[in-house]
Amino acid sequence: MHAYRSHTCADLTAANVGENIRLSGWVHRRRDHGGVIFIDLRDHYGITQVLCDPDSPVFSDVEKLRSEYCIRIDGTVKARAADLVNPKLATGEIEVFIRDVEVLGDVKGDLPLQVFGDQEYPEETRLRYRYLDLRRDAMQQNMALRSDVVASIRRRMWDIGFREFQTPIITASSPEGARDFLVPSRLHPGKFYAMPQAPQQFKQLLMVSGCDKYIQIAPCFRDEDPRADRSPTDFYHLDMEMSCVEQQDVFDTIQPVIRGVFEEFGGGAAVDQEWPLISYSDAALWYGTDKPDLRNPIKMQVVSDHFRGSGFAIFANLLEQEGTQVRAIPAPGGGSRKFCDRMNKFAQEQGLPGMGYIFWRATDGGAMEAAGPLAKNIGPERTEAIRTQLGLGVGDAAFFLAGKPGDFEAVAGRARVVIGDELNLTDQNRFAFAWIVDFPMYEADDDGAIDFSHNPFSMPQGGLDALSADPLSVLGYQYDLACNGYELVSGAIRNHRPEIMFKAFELAGYGEDEVRKRFGGMVNAFQFGAPPHGGCAAGIDRIVMLLAGTSNIREVILFPMNQRAEDLMMAAPSEPLPEQLMELGLRVLPQD
């Protein structure tokens, strides 16, 4: 017999009754029933109930076992009585009488967290003792899901002709919208490598190299501020690139893959078959975000004309300023003063003065009337015109924000989400996808300086001619895939023409010499017959997060950092040894 096991803890059935077997695993739960000791023995695959009575030669040894001891047992499989069968366990028809036991690994001291049960523990404790946290059933399921999703993605991409290649981890710095992690070079004192924020330049070089269809489950390294749906140090994505393609070709390639994965692992939730294309400007207008949750049917609208010259002086005066709007958030079913006041308070908590509102209710005589401060100020005709435009009726409400869209758009988007959730308008059993397209190539900061707003290597719509116009009017062949309020995929048709690249970077303040210095490898390659190409990257962590039904990305990452970008288990980051710094020619300066 094998030294540790003849079966896993999920294998044994009634067909094994009478067999002498060997199992290894952890003591999941221990129960003492009047001299008979029952143990739920757990391994990666499942749980088997094993038991020991005083007649066993190892009874005294079994009495000493405690939770999370790793043990090996030999025993005989017996059938459970019909009224004791546990249908919740794959092994629920049998139990194993222990004849021999060996402790493979004991537990010294108290467990910092229990594996059995569903107790809640502080995240810091869970991350410090991640190896124990990962033993818990929910985490085992999450990590198995992650593995299965990655395997499924690979198979699907291989089946449509993609080849997988690995690109370098230690490379040159490249702007991708976040800070680089720098790596000092021992052989070249004073110089640094960078961890890649993405394999962006390499995957484009692969197209120049004639690879045609490339994928990689790629690690990406970005020194970013953490949030619930983003790791502060590293993450993985499905990197994909193709030669001689247009934007729609990329959509047609990746859409069946993503849809198939969600159908396979989505637990029966509906997966949208049609994925609309929504321009960036429309997404901002309708949803207040470029990653809208389309499970929520609320679509915001511009209602400025109803407030121009109205009796509501705050909005009327704002509309006299250039670039201002009034937008409405319809709230079907939100027609009560209590709900409207609650949403007004929400806006104030988000940093706005508040939100105006109108709600419609039935009078004692059965007629419909509009209520709320706005309705009184703008009068019945304007109020009725707003109701008609928004398609609302008795029991409904609408909320209003005014000013320059950039000042209130994000809050409006968050309010839309809250309204949809609180009024049960959002379909919680659905995965709703949308392609967001026509992103602006550039944006201006508060001082008017122009910089890239998205991927700097994207092809501008209209090519070189488009770059002679106002930079803020230039659109790129850039696109994101949104699902349930998260960005899952981001990509672009790439800029493969050096003359267009130099002009595009010039508008963002980068001279040709700097472009050649920072991206010399790619610029040089484009001199030698570069094909048009494009692709995208799909976030593995976020995909699994959605499929696992959690909003915290750390729940689907094996060994994540905490919110301060610290690895509590491995004590990273740590101070280097003096000899390490000397070898690299570095000195750590004190921070003020």
Side-chain angles (χ1 to χ4, degrees):
M1 189 177 289
H2 189 275
Y4 298 112
R5 59 187 176 193
S6 60
H7 299 78
T8 74
C9 290
D11 283 344
L12 300 174
T13 68
N16 300 105
V17 170
E19 294 181 12
N20 293 323
I21 56 89
R22 177 170 289 174
L23 301 175
S24 288
W26 286 273
V27 175
H28 186 62
R29 187 169 61 142
R30 180 185 180 279
R31 309 179 302 283
D32 191 333
H33 288 185
V36 178
I37 299 172
F38 291 85
I39 290 174
D40 289 340
L41 189 66
R42 182 194 76 245
D43 65 8
H44 176 73
Y45 305 98
I47 289 177
T48 297
Q49 178 174 283
V50 301
L51 62 119
C52 189
D53 59 28
D55 293 335
S56 171
V58 293
F59 182 78
S60 61
D61 296 323
V62 173
E63 279 188 308
K64 300 173 185 176
L65 301 178
R66 296 294 179 266
S67 292
E68 295 310 303
Y69 271 46
C70 185
I71 63 173
R72 185 268 302 164
I73 67 103
D74 291 350
T76 303
V77 182
K78 296 189 177 182
R80 293 197 197 192
D83 59 337
L84 297 178
V85 168
N86 185 350
K88 296 180 180 179
L89 290 180
T91 58
E93 293 181 305
I94 60 90
E95 55 194 3
V96 177
F97 279 70
I98 301 174
R99 292 182 290 101
D100 189 31
V101 65
E102 177 187 4
V103 174
L104 304 176
D106 62 1
V107 174
K108 296 173 174 61
D110 295 330
L111 287 167
L113 59 84
Q114 294 292 329
V115 174
F116 169 73
D118 55 1
Q119 301 96 316
E120 294 292 332
Y121 293 94
E123 189 173 67
E124 298 293 283
T125 300
R126 294 179 58 201
L127 296 184
R128 189 180 299 277
Y129 301 99
R130 190 63 163 183
Y131 40 84
L132 289 178
D133 189 46
L134 286 172
R135 293 183 190 176
R136 305 206 303 175
D137 183 61
M139 296 304 294
Q140 287 279 308
Q141 290 184 35
N142 283 355
M143 298 311 151
L145 173 65
R146 184 186 180 104
S147 177
D148 292 344
V149 166
V150 170
S152 179
I153 287 173
R154 278 196 163 107
R155 285 194 300 268
R156 293 172 188 273
M157 297 304 293
W158 292 338
D159 287 346
I160 55 176
F162 281 79
R163 296 186 183 277
E164 186 163 4
F165 299 99
Q166 286 71 46
T167 54
I169 296 299
I170 299 295
T171 184
S173 178
S174 175
E176 295 283 343
R179 298 180 185 87
D180 284 321
F181 284 105
L182 298 178
V183 181
S185 170
R186 176 182 61 83
L187 297 177
H188 304 279
K191 294 186 177 181
F192 292 79
Y193 304 101
M195 309 287 278
Q197 293 188 32
Q200 181 66 52
Q201 294 188 67
F202 287 108
K203 68 180 180 182
Q204 293 190 245
L205 289 168
L206 282 170
M207 298 303 101
V208 181
S209 303
C211 290
D212 197 62
K213 289 184 177 182
Y214 142 89
I215 62 161
Q216 181 182 191
I217 305 296
C220 304
F221 305 90
R222 300 183 185 183
D223 186 359
E224 297 188 296
D225 295 331
R227 63 189 190 203
D229 69 331
R230 183 174 68 191
S231 169
T233 53
D234 57 284
F235 59 92
Y236 282 81
H237 66 213
L238 166 67
D239 209 40
M240 180 192 95
E241 199 77 8
M242 300 186 290
S243 287
C244 299
V245 292
E246 297 179 304
Q247 182 170 280
Q248 190 61 45
D249 296 316
V250 178
F251 297 169
D252 291 343
T253 299
I254 196 64
Q255 187 164 318
V257 174
I258 300 295
R259 184 172 58 228
V261 167
F262 275 80
E263 288 172 342
E264 183 178 357
F265 299 103
V271 179
D272 285 6
Q273 298 300 300
E274 299 297 327
W275 298 4
L277 270 63
I278 303 172
S279 71
Y280 173 85
S281 59
D282 282 345
L285 168 62
W286 296 338
Y287 310 112
T289 177
D290 60 1
K291 43 183 181 291
D293 186 349
L294 297 191
R295 297 174 303 166
N296 178 349
I298 294 174
K299 184 182 287 189
M300 296 186 284
Q301 297 185 38
V302 176
V303 292
S304 303
D305 289 345
H306 303 301
F307 288 92
R308 296 188 197 279
S310 72
F312 191 62
I314 296 176
F315 283 8
N317 292 338
L318 274 173
L319 289 171
E320 293 179 1
Q321 303 174 24
E322 185 178 357
T324 58
Q325 286 183 348
V326 179
R327 293 188 190 173
I329 311 173
S336 72
R337 190 174 300 276
K338 181 178 180 181
F339 179 75
C340 291
D341 287 342
R342 190 159 72 244
M343 289 309 304
N344 184 55
K345 182 180 179 182
F346 168 83
Q348 293 171 343
E349 291 170 346
Q350 298 292 310
L352 294 182
M355 287 193 298
Y357 61 82
I358 300 173
F359 64 95
W360 289 268
R361 61 191 177 191
T363 65
D364 292 339
M368 180 173 61
E369 68 174 2
L374 283 188
K376 295 178 181 178
N377 279 278
I378 66 175
E381 290 186 6
R382 292 175 183 264
T383 301
E384 177 61 16
I386 290 172
R387 186 194 68 78
T388 300
Q389 178 182 334
L390 299 180
L392 299 175
V394 172
D396 299 335
F399 298 90
F400 304 88
L401 299 103
K404 294 184 177 180
D407 294 337
F408 67 76
E409 212 162 54
V411 175
R414 290 193 288 272
R416 171 185 171 271
V417 171
V418 173
I419 292 168
D421 288 344
E422 293 210 7
L423 298 179
N424 296 316
L425 301 173
T426 302
D427 185 350
Q428 300 295 338
N429 195 37
R430 173 186 168 202
F431 294 110
F433 297 86
W435 286 108
I436 311 302
V437 298
D438 299 337
F439 278 83
M441 281 280 290
Y442 302 98
E443 62 187 5
D445 63 17
D446 293 338
D447 298 324
I450 299 296
D451 203 353
F452 291 106
S453 63
H454 213 67
N455 190 314
F457 301 109
S458 303
M459 179 68 79
Q461 296 184 21
L464 189 60
D465 291 342
L467 299 179
S468 60
D470 175 8
L472 297 181
S473 70
V474 178
L475 302 179
Y477 284 112
Q478 302 167 343
Y479 36 84
D480 286 353
L481 179 65
C483 177
N484 293 11
Y486 295 95
E487 175 197 313
L488 287 194
V489 174
S490 186
I493 298 301
R494 317 302 179 185
N495 190 343
H496 70 288
R497 303 288 295 273
E499 65 274 16
I500 302 178
M501 181 178 294
F502 290 138
K503 182 62 176 178
F505 274 90
E506 179 187 326
L507 293 179
Y510 300 86
E512 181 175 333
D513 289 344
E514 186 173 0
V515 174
R516 289 187 180 276
K517 180 180 178 181
R518 300 186 69 173
F519 316 115
M522 193 160 65
V523 171
N524 290 338
F526 287 172
Q527 311 288 334
F528 299 99
H533 55 278
C536 63
I540 297 294
D541 308 291
R542 284 185 187 163
I543 288 173
V544 179
M545 181 185 77
L546 279 177
L547 292 170
T550 178
S551 59
N552 186 342
I553 208 165
R554 291 181 293 281
E555 295 296 312
V556 297
I557 297 174
L558 276 169
F559 300 107
M561 300 282 181
N562 67 4
Q563 289 280 51
R564 299 182 62 228
E566 298 170 315
D567 183 341
L568 300 179
M569 184 180 65
M570 302 298 287
S574 60
E575 295 180 356
L577 297 173
E579 51 266 34
Q580 290 176 309
L581 292 175
M582 290 181 62
E583 189 174 43
L584 295 169
L586 298 177
R587 180 163 60 96
V588 178
L589 298 176
Q591 299 293 310
D592 294 333

